[in-house]
Amino acid sequence: MQAWNEFIDFSEYLKTTMSGYCGSPSVEVVDQHTNYYYASEKTDLAHISIIDMRESKKMWMMHVACYSKSEYPMPIYGFDVICGARKVTGCFHDMSPTTSGYYSKASEDFKANVAPFIPKRTRDLPPWAKEIFSDHMVVAGATDDVTEIKNLVHMGKENLHAWFKELEDKTPLQSDHARIVDYSHNRAKYCKNQLENTNSKNVMVSLGLEEDYVNQFKKRQFPY
């Protein structure tokens, strides 16, 4: 099994699911970098970024993030992976908190879905990441284990479904201004810290994208 095939299939699932909840995406293609931007009444941005360098660099990279609108506060769904044909270099998956002391069924489902998963190798998180990710974040290091790869994809699917299902059932916050402000503040904190991720930028440049383009893209990837 080629490692990237599982995640390519996952990307198709993501596109189908997001289209089902949000409608057709806006698509942007620059060289081998393709972006799908989705939005709806309740979804501010659901975004899939794919860099397909299988032919030239033997690498495939994907970043996924889902942000709700502030009147429908939700945790931020995130999934990142970079892989070659034979193994996953790194995979990160989280339901990042955005409101203090607020119960989210999607977050509880996330905890339950990821609890049994123990990666064969983990990766240390830098300070910026520890500021924004949950205590249950999945961090998988280099692996070529078929079962582990399938488990990563399965968790990504289950948690995406949980995220959209909760959002679909939400009614807007009209009078709880404090919670709306809390969400907006924490989303901004999430995006600002993500923009400190120099490793992601360096990987994109190493795969052949222009540095200026990457810097501008990151601002669209993590808007606040």
Side-chain angles (χ1 to χ4, degrees), residues 9 26 34-35 49 67 84 89 94 96 122 167 182 185 191 195 206 219:
D9 288 345
S26 170
T34 305
N35 288 281
S49 164
Y67 309 92
T89 302
D94 194 33
S96 303
T122 60
L167 181 60
D182 190 34
H185 170 79
C191 290
L195 290 173
S206 73
K219 295 176 182 178

Side-chain angles (χ1 to χ4, degrees), residues 135-151:
D135 295 336
H136 303 277
M137 181 186 185
V138 172
V139 183
T143 182
D144 59 1
D145 183 88
V146 174
T147 299
E148 184 167 338
I149 291 171
K150 288 182 178 293
N151 282 340

Side-chain angles (χ1 to χ4, degrees), residues 67-201:
Y67 309 92
S68 64
K69 291 188 176 178
S70 59
E71 61 268 38
Y72 303 94
M74 287 283 294
I76 296 170
Y77 173 99
F79 194 103
D80 290 298
V81 63
I82 182 165
C83 57
R86 295 185 178 181
K87 70 176 181 179
V88 174
T89 302
C91 184
F92 308 88
H93 177 36
D94 194 33
M95 200 79 78
S96 303
T98 55
T99 52
S100 305
Y102 172 67
Y103 174 80
S104 165
K105 187 178 186 304
S107 292
E108 293 303 312
D109 289 347
F110 172 77
K111 293 176 188 177
N113 288 334
V114 305
F117 180 75
I118 302 175
K120 294 183 181 300
R121 293 181 62 184
T122 60
R123 294 178 60 169
D124 292 333
L125 293 177
W128 66 263
K130 294 177 181 178
E131 286 287 321
I132 56 174
F133 295 133
S134 77
D135 295 336
H136 303 277
M137 181 186 185
V138 172
V139 183
T143 182
D144 59 1
D145 183 88
V146 174
T147 299
E148 184 167 338
I149 291 171
K150 288 182 178 293
N151 282 340
L152 289 165
V153 170
H154 176 72
M155 287 187 293
K157 289 180 177 180
E158 290 294 307
N159 294 324
L160 183 77
H161 175 73
W163 192 89
F164 272 112
K165 185 64 176 68
E166 180 177 342
L167 181 60
E168 183 182 45
D169 294 340
K170 274 185 174 294
T171 55
L173 293 178
Q174 295 177 333
S175 59
D176 196 341
H177 181 68
R179 185 172 289 172
I180 293 174
V181 170
D182 190 34
Y183 171 81
S184 300
H185 170 79
N186 284 301
R187 172 175 162 170
K189 178 182 176 182
Y190 178 92
C191 290
K192 288 177 181 178
N193 277 271
Q194 283 279 14
L195 290 173
E196 294 183 18
N197 183 359
T198 56
N199 184 61
S200 177
K201 295 177 185 178

